[in-house]
Amino acid sequence: MPKVRVTRRVHFSAAHRLHNPGLSDEDNRRTFGLCNSPNFHGHNYELDVTVEGEPDPDTGYVVDLGHLRAAAESVIGDLDHRNLNVDVPWLAGVLPSTENLVVAIWARLAPLVPRGRLVRLVLWETPRNYAEYTGD
Amino acid sequence: MPKVRVTRRVHFSAAHRLHNPGLSDEDNRRTFGLCNSPNFHGHNYELDVTVEGEPDPDTGYVVDLGHLRAAAESVIGDLDHRNLNVDVPWLAGVLPSTENLVVAIWARLAPLVPRGRLVRLVLWETPRNYAEYTGD
Amino acid sequence: MPKVRVTRRVHFSAAHRLHNPGLSDEDNRRTFGLCNSPNFHGHNYELDVTVEGEPDPDTGYVVDLGHLRAAAESVIGDLDHRNLNVDVPWLAGVLPSTENLVVAIWARLAPLVPRGRLVRLVLWETPRNYAEYTGD
Amino acid sequence: MPKVRVTRRVHFSAAHRLHNPGLSDEDNRRTFGLCNSPNFHGHNYELDVTVEGEPDPDTGYVVDLGHLRAAAESVIGDLDHRNLNVDVPWLAGVLPSTENLVVAIWARLAPLVPRGRLVRLVLWETPRNYAEYTGD
Amino acid sequence: MPKVRVTRRVHFSAAHRLHNPGLSDEDNRRTFGLCNSPNFHGHNYELDVTVEGEPDPDTGYVVDLGHLRAAAESVIGDLDHRNLNVDVPWLAGVLPSTENLVVAIWARLAPLVPRGRLVRLVLWETPRNYAEYTGD
Amino acid sequence: MPKVRVTRRVHFSAAHRLHNPGLSDEDNRRTFGLCNSPNFHGHNYELDVTVEGEPDPDTGYVVDLGHLRAAAESVIGDLDHRNLNVDVPWLAGVLPSTENLVVAIWARLAPLVPRGRLVRLVLWETPRNYAEYTGD
């Protein structure tokens, strides 16, 4: 049986700020530049969720993309139109870089995938940069 | 002489919140929904700046797009990686909907266009919605 | 008060076929080529809905884009995952070219716009061609 | 010698319907929802064809992309402006999910690649979802 | 009868250089910067061709987009994979800015439009800047 | 510690020509077609630079994307608005196919990556074709 990967893109808009409370204000500014701006800034994030498996002979689906979308939205629903530094219990203590976000989303989403196996998340912060995680 | 329009796209990332201080919290939530979320959210904005004029016979340019970009960035530099409700003096008292933002940006940018005449601004809040203003 | 235009993009996927029952099969094939293929083909359509008006001073909105999206989806809900030649009562007798579709959608959608005035519809049949209608 | 991958994107538009004749109509509707709509719907598909190999020292090419495009179009020419459930002999009995389509296209296309080795196909059904196959 | 606009996008790749032979080398460098680089540079151009008219009742077409594409390609075929400063007789003496190119293409293309009337050309030099001409 | 990949896209515009001086003019024309056009043509190139590593606990960064962008631009600055056959010392003797370019860019860029490890370069020649190199 062939192994196929399917991907569904979902999106959310959020505010954040890069700030390490263990560093001085001066060091934060020097390290993070504009991303340390005190009153937050924000992004339109896009998340590409990739699941691998063998297509079900009855449906032709690795996973029903409607179900996968629902799983993904149950996670990013906590992030959409929120402040990633302030509003999200499961991001408490996480410095919200794209790298740290994609790892945190993986931990929430992987157990919810309804069929197949989560093999890749790509989180776009802007149309010109993204972070990619494969669970390693 | 032909009249031509040229457009240059620039971008910025910002946090904002839709909240009318003249309404109750309850009315704000009902009116703006998730966009009223208290600790802000944010977007990657794209701004398309269009200038009309006759190409200069010496350069073939309606306007040098490098100069136009510099003018546009001198305005959106105040917005990039900022909080539109809090950080921008020239947005004080402006409810930062895409509509109000594009009108406010026009007022700042129109006098700075180095050649030709500003005829259209398109401000994308997400890849699926935008506001467009032509100065009327 | 400034006049601003806002646009919201919505999408649907549909099957269709270009076939004029008043022409012979031979003439249909010659006129429409592959688009006349008997068992239908299909597209991912994108529809850009543009509304013009003065922003409401209380909300900053020309029109609440959530309400506009709901109005648009009440119309294209009849088209999504349907056959445009067979399934849609309000397209009966309409040759479903992009031009004819955008005019038919206008007639349904214009009265439903909740605030402001519908001024432009752009219907993309593929990422490389579209039809545009302004009500004239 | 370095190993490089080159990719060429091609496209086609087709109608299809997800329907398993081994299931009851009721089960088909429950399983496939709108995708089971009886008179078909359709999509603009994009296919990214990736070939790996060492660049030919005389041409700098892993594969001449004009030749690769011709090979890909000889396969998708059977699908373009067609009905995937009805019109394509080599899809007879295949439930035309994106997963099953990409596997079927691989089987046709792999032997036709004129230089190098087919290593990945990505088939986009919409701009927000795709299936990916690497021959495993 | 409704008036509708249809647009078809075509593309070409070309080399060019901005250089005014009436200016000194020093003035050319100061005016055009990197665009004056002596051995040329190049772009992937996209051209959006828009035609307005009433849909033909027999076809639903303002203009057959296959015919429009053929007309457009008969013009840009002179530009594709060419050097705009050197290779194109009908650009002799034209400083190949995007503005001047779009006006020159209009003059060649307008008489070839097979049905309806050319009302807009948009010539993209990069994904972030374009020139637009409406024949005025 | 998780391993994450981050990608930053950068761009440049350049002229080139595919021509093998070891072949006759006739063989060059037959092999490369329009890409052999004598006075060059050009492209808007996009380069996606991917770096893998563990996020730094102090910053959440695999690599500061501003630093990565600076490294990438120090390399492609030699290519931007240049002629790849004529102007670039480190491309002397390289037939500038996309494949050969991506390998040559890797050799320059890999040692400059400021943190983490370069694991993938994707070089887009047009929006519909690219070459991809992972250092093998």
Side-chain angles (χ1 to χ4, degrees), chain A residues 3 8 10 18-19 23-24 27 40 42 46 48-49 64 74 82 84 102-103 112 116 120 123-124 129-130 134:
Chain A
K3 284 215 291 205
R8 168 78 204 185
V10 292
L18 300 186
H19 183 83
L23 301 178
S24 69
D27 280 352
F40 311 104
E46 304 269 3
D48 295 329
V49 181
D64 183 314
S74 77
R82 301 292 172 189
L84 305 177
V102 76
V103 173
L112 304 181
R120 188 175 63 216
L123 180 61
W124 297 77
N129 71 282
Y130 61 81
T134 55

Side-chain angles (χ1 to χ4, degrees), chain A:
Chain A
M1 288 292 291
K3 284 215 291 205
V4 182
R5 293 177 162 206
V6 291
T7 297
R8 168 78 204 185
R9 174 169 282 197
V10 292
H11 64 97
F12 61 96
S13 294
H16 81 151
R17 175 196 188 200
L18 300 186
H19 183 83
N20 180 341
L23 301 178
S24 69
D25 283 1
E26 175 59 23
D27 280 352
N28 270 296
R29 273 192 297 273
R30 200 169 29 77
T31 304
F32 297 114
L34 278 173
C35 297
N36 183 245
S37 186
N39 298 311
F40 311 104
H41 61 283
H43 298 289
N44 302 321
Y45 290 93
E46 304 269 3
L47 179 70
D48 295 329
V49 181
T50 302
V51 169
E52 183 179 275
E54 298 177 356
D56 181 326
D58 283 342
T59 63
Y61 287 164
V62 167
V63 57
D64 183 314
L65 287 184
H67 300 174
L68 181 62
R69 180 184 177 177
E73 292 189 341
S74 77
V75 174
I76 66 172
D78 293 343
L79 311 179
D80 189 32
H81 283 74
R82 301 292 172 189
N83 185 314
L84 305 177
N85 297 69
V86 175
D87 289 334
V88 188
W90 50 273
L91 291 179
V94 175
L95 206 164
S97 68
T98 320
E99 291 92 324
N100 286 347
L101 286 173
V102 76
V103 173
I105 292 169
W106 179 286
R108 303 285 291 187
L109 181 51
L112 304 181
V113 169
R115 191 176 182 280
R117 190 170 56 91
L118 185 65
V119 292
R120 188 175 63 216
L121 287 180
V122 175
L123 180 61
W124 297 77
E125 190 186 63
T126 76
R128 301 188 80 80
N129 71 282
Y130 61 81
E132 184 179 352
Y133 186 52
T134 55
D136 296 334

Side-chain angles (χ1 to χ4, degrees), chain D residues 13 26 28 33 38-39 50 54 81 87 89 92-93 106 110 117-118 128:
Chain D
S13 295
E26 174 59 24
N28 270 296
N39 297 311
T50 301
E54 298 177 356
H81 283 74
D87 289 333
W106 179 285
R117 190 171 55 92
L118 184 65
R128 301 188 80 80

Side-chain angles (χ1 to χ4, degrees), chain B residues 37-60:
Chain B
S37 185
N39 297 311
F40 311 103
H41 61 284
H43 300 288
N44 301 321
Y45 290 92
E46 304 270 2
L47 179 69
D48 295 329
V49 181
T50 302
V51 169
E52 183 179 275
E54 298 176 356
D56 181 326
D58 284 343
T59 61

Side-chain angles (χ1 to χ4, degrees), chain C:
Chain C
M1 289 292 290
K3 285 214 291 206
V4 181
R5 293 175 163 209
V6 292
T7 297
R8 168 78 204 184
R9 173 169 283 196
V10 292
H11 63 97
F12 61 96
S13 295
H16 81 151
R17 175 197 188 202
L18 299 186
H19 182 82
N20 179 341
L23 301 178
S24 69
D25 283 2
E26 173 59 24
D27 281 351
N28 269 297
R29 274 193 296 273
R30 200 170 27 79
T31 304
F32 296 114
L34 278 174
C35 298
N36 183 245
S37 186
N39 297 312
F40 311 104
H41 62 283
H43 299 289
N44 302 321
Y45 290 92
E46 304 270 3
L47 179 70
D48 295 329
V49 181
T50 302
V51 169
E52 183 179 275
E54 298 177 356
D56 181 326
D58 284 343
T59 62
Y61 287 163
V62 167
V63 58
D64 182 315
L65 287 183
H67 299 173
L68 181 62
R69 180 184 178 178
E73 292 189 341
S74 77
V75 174
I76 64 172
D78 293 344
L79 311 179
D80 189 32
H81 283 74
R82 299 292 170 188
N83 185 314
L84 304 177
N85 297 68
V86 175
D87 289 333
V88 188
W90 50 271
L91 290 179
V94 175
L95 205 163
S97 67
T98 321
E99 293 91 324
N100 286 347
L101 286 173
V102 77
V103 173
I105 293 170
W106 179 285
R108 303 285 292 185
L109 181 52
L112 304 181
V113 168
R115 191 177 181 279
R117 190 170 56 91
L118 185 65
V119 293
R120 188 175 61 217
L121 287 180
V122 175
L123 181 61
W124 296 78
E125 191 185 64
T126 76
R128 300 187 82 79
N129 70 283
Y130 62 80
E132 184 179 351
Y133 186 52
T134 56
D136 296 332

Side-chain angles (χ1 to χ4, degrees), chain B residues 8 12 35 38 42 48 58 65 70-72 77 83-84 94 100 107 121 128:
Chain B
R8 168 76 204 185
F12 60 97
C35 297
D48 295 329
D58 284 343
L65 287 183
N83 185 314
L84 304 178
V94 175
N100 287 348
L121 287 180
R128 300 186 82 79

Side-chain angles (χ1 to χ4, degrees), chain D residues 56-133:
Chain D
D56 180 327
D58 283 343
T59 62
Y61 288 164
V62 167
V63 58
D64 183 313
L65 287 184
H67 299 173
L68 182 61
R69 180 184 177 178
E73 292 189 341
S74 78
V75 174
I76 65 172
D78 293 343
L79 310 179
D80 189 32
H81 283 74
R82 300 292 171 188
N83 186 313
L84 305 177
N85 298 69
V86 175
D87 289 333
V88 188
W90 50 271
L91 291 179
V94 175
L95 205 165
S97 67
T98 321
E99 292 91 324
N100 286 348
L101 286 172
V102 77
V103 173
I105 292 170
W106 179 285
R108 304 284 291 185
L109 181 51
L112 304 181
V113 169
R115 191 178 181 279
R117 190 171 55 92
L118 184 65
V119 293
R120 187 175 63 216
L121 287 180
V122 175
L123 180 61
W124 297 78
E125 190 185 64
T126 77
R128 301 188 80 80
N129 70 282
Y130 62 80
E132 184 179 352
Y133 186 52

